Amino acid sequence: MTAPATPLAQHAAPRMRTTFLELEITGKCQLDCSHCYAHFGPAGDHGAMTIDDWRSVIGQAADMGVLEVQFIGGEPTLHPDFPALLDCAIDHGLKVQVFSNLVAVREPLWERLRCPAVSLATSYYSDRADQHAHVTGRRAAHARTRANIARAVKLGIPLKVGIIDIFDGQRVEQARRELEALGVRHIHIDRQRGVGRATTVTGVGPTVDELCGRCGIGRAAIGPQGEVWMCVLSRFLPPAGNVRTTPLRTIVEGEAMTTLPAQVPRRPDATACKPNSDGSDCSPAETTACNPAY
């Protein structure tokens, strides 16, 4: 008689070539968002990964067939080496998404962002500054982000915006209409996910039920200390390895990247999942790894 399958075997993730990497290059951010997936903010730092570490990761990623990377944080543009790392990814022939709060974009960076290989993603919470500040902790952020959204559209830079429904009375639909009026074409609305700082608000700890169901399948994330996760939202689970001590290919093709995804429930529509549009400031629903049809 054949032994019944274990829960792990039932949900074992298929091995799939990693084509998308989230590069979380810093934990520093100007904002202090109530739902941040990683407790990042003004007190954050850039971690132990050096510019040479990140360049090595980008080169390894290109060599192993990764097609796209996403620079994320924190606020990736606050990293002093961000322009050099952006150029490094472009020079390796990778598509690049920059996930920024768009609070402060230095003037020389705009020309780099106009590169055909680059796109932008950001978060927006309301058409009212007070409600946006209620989430971000910074009242001035609303006007700055709005102005830079408008500038990105004017410059023709591909842009995706996530609106997260966080509190009662939040003007989510009005925010969507405002973004449409600004010319934004890729907008997604979703609920707050119970990971990171959001757990201190909800009082419920992070669970795998908050994940989209495609974690670690064709994608991986690397944090400021070099840890490798299935995605940035799954950081409450053990890392699969650390790129400061182990080659990236060894990690993503290793046993951990098979057993870790097996802990995440596979949803019937996981091939076209629509979890948090910005993942509490990440964008699993709007990357080619999570939604190939996007």
Side-chain angles (χ1 to χ4, degrees), residues 29 52 89 112 135 160 181 186 193 203 206 229 269 285:
C29 185
D52 288 338
R112 280 186 170 95
V135 176
K160 299 174 183 177
H186 296 289
R193 298 282 158 172
W229 302 293
D269 59 347

Side-chain angles (χ1 to χ4, degrees), residues 27 32-44 195-200 235:
D32 199 19
C33 295
S34 60
H35 65 302
C36 178
Y37 70 86
H39 299 274
F40 288 154
V195 297
R197 192 174 288 139
T199 62
T200 65
R235 65 200 313 118

Side-chain angles (χ1 to χ4, degrees), residues 16-287:
M16 183 182 295
R17 180 169 67 93
T18 300
T19 59
F20 180 84
L21 280 182
E22 295 165 303
L23 306 181
E24 188 184 87
I25 62 175
T26 183
K28 191 172 185 63
C29 185
Q30 306 99 321
L31 308 181
D32 199 19
C33 295
S34 60
H35 65 302
C36 178
Y37 70 86
H39 299 274
F40 288 154
D45 59 41
H46 305 312
M49 291 281 285
T50 67
I51 184 172
D52 288 338
D53 290 332
W54 283 118
R55 281 174 169 158
S56 175
V57 162
I58 291 168
Q60 291 177 64
D63 288 344
M64 59 185 281
V66 169
L67 302 176
E68 182 176 3
V69 295
Q70 180 190 69
F71 287 105
I72 191 171
E75 171 51 42
T77 64
L78 289 180
H79 195 291
D81 297 316
F82 171 70
L85 294 175
L86 177 60
D87 288 345
C88 180
I90 294 171
D91 290 344
H92 276 88
L94 298 171
K95 290 179 60 179
V96 181
Q97 184 182 87
V98 179
F99 203 108
S100 170
N101 57 38
L102 293 183
V103 168
V105 181
R106 292 184 293 274
E107 194 61 33
L109 187 57
W110 282 110
E111 194 58 36
R112 280 186 170 95
L113 295 175
R114 295 182 70 182
C115 172
V118 177
S119 64
L120 277 171
T122 194
S123 304
Y124 201 66
Y125 303 104
S126 175
D127 63 329
R128 282 177 29 183
D130 60 332
Q131 290 197 350
H132 194 83
H134 180 72
V135 176
T136 65
R138 300 290 184 273
R139 186 175 181 88
H142 182 262
R144 294 176 181 177
T145 296
R146 186 185 187 281
N148 283 326
I149 286 173
R151 185 167 185 184
V153 171
K154 183 177 181 179
L155 291 173
I157 301 171
L159 174 67
K160 299 174 183 177
V161 182
I163 306 174
I164 308 305
D165 192 346
I166 297 173
F167 60 90
D168 291 342
Q170 183 179 343
R171 291 169 59 87
V172 169
E173 189 57 32
Q174 291 89 339
R176 182 187 64 78
R177 290 199 295 268
E178 181 181 38
L179 290 168
E180 289 177 339
L182 289 172
V184 180
R185 295 294 173 257
H186 296 289
I187 304 167
H188 183 68
I189 301 171
D190 195 53
R191 67 174 178 86
Q192 176 176 262
R193 298 282 158 172
V195 297
R197 192 174 288 139
T199 62
T200 65
V201 177
T202 63
V204 179
T207 71
V208 293
D209 290 332
E210 294 298 300
L211 303 177
C212 77
R214 283 188 58 83
C215 308
I217 302 178
R219 65 183 298 147
I222 303 171
Q225 307 301 333
E227 317 98 315
V228 179
W229 302 293
M230 296 181 291
C231 73
V232 290
L233 295 184
S234 70
R235 65 200 313 118
F236 58 89
L237 296 173
N242 191 299
V243 293
R244 297 180 69 214
T245 58
T246 309
L248 178 61
R249 183 189 293 272
T250 301
I251 296 172
V252 299
E253 294 182 359
E255 182 180 357
M257 272 298 189
T258 298
T259 58
L260 280 171
Q263 300 180 43
V264 183
R266 298 287 151 224
R267 313 189 194 290
D269 59 347
T271 55
C273 60
K274 280 290 181 183
N276 206 344
S277 170
D278 72 350
S280 297
D281 285 338
C282 130
S283 189
E286 300 193 13
T287 63

